[in-house]
Amino acid sequence: PELLEQWGLFQPKLFSVAPISDFDGGSLIKKYTTPDELIENYVVCNAEEKPLILFHLLVEKKWDKVLCFTNSAQSVHRLAVLLNEWGKDQCLKVAELSSALDRASREKVLEKFKQSEVNVIISTDALARGIDIPDCNYVVSYDPPRNIKTYVHRVGRTGRAGRIGRAVTILNHNQLNMFKEQIQSSGKSEINQLEVSEESYSHLLQSYESAIQETKQIIHTEINNKVKKSIELKRGMKKKSRKRKHNE
């Protein structure tokens, strides 16, 4: 964009490539398009059912090469810890793309995903932007996208180069109308609902509650360790300051 601005262009024209089916009328093209190989669905549930449904899809439906989006870095870490703890006996390997990772560590995560050493990557939109995530079979929006542009960016991670891909958005009941309005505003056709019956995940409740307790303990320990390191760092700085004054 910076280079284009320097050129001082005017009277811009937009050229878009899209299937014939995406043309609306004689010359108008839909604002947002997705490939024909992409299957899009949404699931409606209560907030407390979201992790149960996600675990059901990942473990019992054996979804592999999954990119999962949340709307905050804190949610990314909490969900990654929960799924790793919950799925450790199910060979579920979950990694996160977080701001805590340097570039080399992020590349290592992507390489493990490519080699199927990691089944699921959890990320925010900001950290996934501009990163090529190879061979992604499924995209799950654990938290719904804030707008249609973000939705298209998310689901566009799968169904590439003629390969079949699937994208599922998990919604609370009070988020459904807004999501439908976003889809309609883009000119996209209506997305089908994926029915997940309560019977298919109700048996997971006991193991979920156990995993939640372990997750709380792990995160509590992490916070305490960070606080201890911070205190030690401050003490070290004070000691150095005292030595300098003494030497002076």
Side-chain angles (χ1 to χ4, degrees):
E2 288 82 3
L3 290 174
L4 289 174
E5 184 181 17
Q6 291 172 15
W7 291 347
L9 302 177
F10 60 96
Q11 294 183 345
K13 296 186 184 298
L14 172 67
F15 292 86
S16 273
V17 178
I20 294 174
S21 58
D22 282 337
F23 280 87
D24 182 12
S27 60
L28 296 176
I29 190 171
K30 294 179 182 177
K31 189 173 182 181
Y32 297 101
T33 61
T34 50
D36 293 337
E37 293 82 5
L38 177 63
I39 302 168
E40 300 170 74
N41 296 110
Y42 66 87
V43 176
V44 182
C45 63
N46 298 321
E48 60 271 17
E49 295 173 318
K50 286 174 63 175
L52 297 168
I53 290 173
L54 178 61
F55 193 79
H56 167 70
L57 296 175
L58 296 178
V59 175
E60 300 190 330
K61 290 297 184 181
K62 302 186 185 303
W63 283 18
D64 193 21
K65 295 290 188 74
V66 180
L67 178 57
C68 181
F69 286 99
T70 72
N71 287 341
S72 72
Q74 187 179 21
S75 297
V76 166
H77 182 60
R78 188 168 57 243
L79 186 58
V81 172
L82 171 63
L83 290 175
N84 275 319
E85 188 61 33
W86 195 359
K88 61 186 178 184
D89 296 329
Q90 308 288 340
C91 298
L92 181 64
K93 301 294 183 183
V94 180
E96 58 182 288
L97 287 179
S98 72
S99 55
L101 300 179
D102 56 30
R103 183 175 179 178
S105 298
R106 291 177 194 174
E107 289 177 354
K108 190 174 180 180
V109 167
L110 295 174
E111 184 60 28
K112 285 185 175 182
F113 187 75
K114 185 178 180 180
Q115 300 298 330
S116 296
E117 296 175 27
V118 165
N119 313 105
V120 184
I121 289 179
I122 303 177
S123 178
T124 59
D125 296 295
L127 280 165
R129 193 170 295 129
I131 297 177
D132 181 32
I133 300 176
D135 304 326
C136 177
N137 295 328
Y138 300 90
V139 170
V140 176
S141 289
Y142 188 76
D143 293 330
R146 294 187 173 93
N147 52 60
I148 186 62
K149 187 176 180 180
T150 299
Y151 174 80
V152 172
H153 276 301
R154 286 183 181 185
V155 302
R157 297 289 183 163
T158 187
R160 292 180 168 185
R163 296 181 57 192
I164 298 296
R166 187 165 195 174
V168 172
T169 303
I170 302 177
L171 302 165
N172 295 337
H173 291 281
N174 61 356
Q175 297 168 332
L176 179 58
N177 288 338
M178 182 174 291
F179 177 72
K180 285 186 172 182
E181 287 175 5
Q182 287 178 359
I183 298 301
Q184 290 172 359
S185 70
S186 70
K188 287 173 59 63
S189 57
E190 189 173 340
I191 295 175
N192 293 325
Q193 182 174 352
L194 176 65
E195 297 286 350
V196 182
S197 64
E198 187 176 346
E199 291 77 17
S200 63
Y201 57 81
S202 57
H203 62 283
L204 298 170
L205 190 57
Q206 186 174 354
S207 61
Y208 167 66
E209 290 175 349
S210 176
I212 276 288
Q213 294 305 315
E214 291 294 330
T215 299
K216 288 179 179 178
Q217 185 60 45
I218 290 169
I219 292 177
H220 179 70
T221 301
E222 288 177 350
I223 293 172
N224 284 343
N225 288 339
K226 286 180 181 178
V227 171
K228 286 179 182 178
K229 285 182 180 179
S230 178
I231 292 172
E232 289 173 1
L233 184 62
K234 288 178 181 178
R235 285 176 179 172
M237 291 174 68
K238 285 181 179 179
K239 285 181 180 179
K240 287 181 180 179
S241 178
R242 286 172 185 169
K243 284 182 180 178
R244 286 174 187 168
K245 288 180 180 179
H246 179 74
N247 292 334
E248 290 172 358

